[in-house]
Amino acid sequence: MPSLWDQKTLAAYLGKSTAWCERARWAGEGPRFIKLGRHVRYRADDVLAWIEENARTCSGMEG
């Protein structure tokens, strides 16, 4: 069974605020999430995949 994180756990893991997590979720810029009723949860595997997708080799602009 996959590990599910709440927003507070995600924020602590990423070193971000819970407000950042909310903004990223609303903007579609953060990791995939699951809605369980009114609760938001994140699969640990989805968080790690999102981190890998955002890995860069240089800080220049894309395109």
Side-chain angles (χ1 to χ4, degrees):
M1 179 118 11
S3 176
L4 295 177
W5 297 356
D6 62 11
Q7 185 171 279
K8 200 172 189 181
T9 303
L10 175 68
Y13 182 78
L14 296 177
K16 301 281 190 180
S17 67
T18 56
W20 178 90
C21 295
E22 291 174 15
R23 282 192 305 271
R25 188 171 67 246
W26 280 100
E29 298 171 355
R32 289 180 57 185
F33 63 94
I34 300 166
K35 286 284 285 188
L36 299 171
R38 43 181 238 166
H39 302 282
V40 173
R41 296 292 181 260
Y42 299 87
R43 287 186 195 111
D45 291 343
D46 289 339
V47 173
L48 296 175
W50 176 76
I51 290 170
E52 282 300 314
E53 290 169 9
N54 287 285
R56 303 285 188 255
T57 57
C58 75
S59 60
M61 294 184 64
E62 293 184 44

